[in-house]
């Protein structure tokens, strides 16, 4: 997790705050409430008694679509887009795979362009699905689309992936 990134709540996150529709655990909901679109990830983590749990919570909220990287002034450059996409993908892997996320995260961090991230996307999606996390896979696909990494919505569809993997 990049300590300098600022996160903001998504529509899904705001919906959870207002209506509790997604039934987040109390600690995750408390973390979600503190995300204000101004504080850095480092400041948020420091404000909790267990920084490691807070960091994992941020990664989980990001992977599940409750928060996103806040748009910063001048953040429309391709370098900022690449950094935000890398952060999303690495956080998604960490939240889904836990300790098994080291290798995928290293691959993500070494990518030098959105095109290179797109090449990794199918492999990473397969890894998430192989761990039995279909809802996380769906959130991952949605994030890839948001970052423009996947243009064709059918390219990484669950049916295509299952057929390619022999129905597993």
């Amino acid at each position: 997790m990049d300590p300098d990134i600022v996160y903001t709540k998504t529509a899904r996150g705001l919906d959870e705050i207002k209506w509790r529709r997604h039934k987040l655990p109390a600690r995750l909901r408390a973390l979600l409430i503190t995300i204000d679109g101004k504080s850095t990830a480092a400041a948020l983590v420091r404000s909790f008694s267990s920084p490691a749990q807070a960091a994992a919570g941020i990664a989980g909220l990001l992977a599940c679509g409750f928060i996103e990287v806040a748009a910063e002034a001048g953040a429309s450059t391709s370098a900022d887009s690449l950094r935000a996409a890398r952060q999303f993908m690495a956080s998604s892997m960490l939240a889904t795979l836990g300790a098994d996320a080291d290798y995928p995260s290293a691959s993500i961090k070494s990518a030098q362009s959105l095109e290179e991230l797109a090449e990794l996307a199918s492999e990473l999606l397969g890894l998430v699905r192989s761990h039995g996390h279909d809802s996380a896979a769906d959130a991952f696909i949605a994030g890839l689309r948001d970052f423009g990494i996947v243009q064709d919505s059918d390219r990484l569809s669950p049916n295509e992936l299952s057929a390619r993997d022999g129905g597993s």
Side-chain angles (χ1 to χ4, degrees):
M1 174 178 65
D2 184 343
D4 297 325
I5 286 188
V6 175
Y7 295 100
T8 188
K9 294 175 195 83
T10 62
R12 183 176 184 174
L14 293 170
D15 183 63
E16 172 60 21
I17 297 295
K18 187 172 183 179
W19 301 107
R20 297 180 187 227
R21 287 187 185 155
H22 306 284
K23 308 212 183 317
L24 284 178
R27 288 184 182 177
L28 271 180
R29 190 169 189 283
L31 178 59
L32 179 62
I33 290 168
T34 64
I35 294 175
D36 59 7
K38 298 174 189 168
S39 302
T40 64
L44 290 168
V45 167
R46 281 193 307 266
S47 69
F48 282 81
S49 59
S50 174
Q53 280 186 337
I58 289 172
L61 291 171
L62 182 67
C64 292
F66 290 102
I67 62 173
E68 62 189 1
V69 174
E72 300 174 44
S76 61
T77 67
S78 62
D80 290 334
S81 296
L82 177 61
R83 186 180 78 175
R86 275 193 206 131
Q87 178 66 30
F88 164 75
M89 291 176 77
S91 295
S92 296
M93 292 299 106
L94 180 63
T96 306
L97 306 176
D100 293 334
D102 289 343
Y103 178 75
S105 294
S107 298
I108 292 164
K109 288 179 183 179
S110 69
Q112 298 298 311
S113 67
L114 291 176
E115 291 77 21
E116 288 181 29
L117 288 177
E119 291 174 16
L120 289 171
S122 183
E123 176 185 342
L124 297 175
L125 180 63
L127 191 57
V128 171
R129 288 203 186 280
S130 73
H131 279 74
H133 299 288
D134 288 340
S135 62
D138 293 340
F140 186 63
I141 292 170
L144 294 175
R145 286 186 191 129
D146 290 346
F147 283 106
I149 294 171
V150 174
Q151 306 298 328
D152 180 2
S153 62
D154 294 330
R155 184 170 160 207
L156 293 174
S157 71
N159 294 337
E160 180 181 327
L161 185 63
S162 293
R164 186 176 48 206
D165 292 342
S168 59

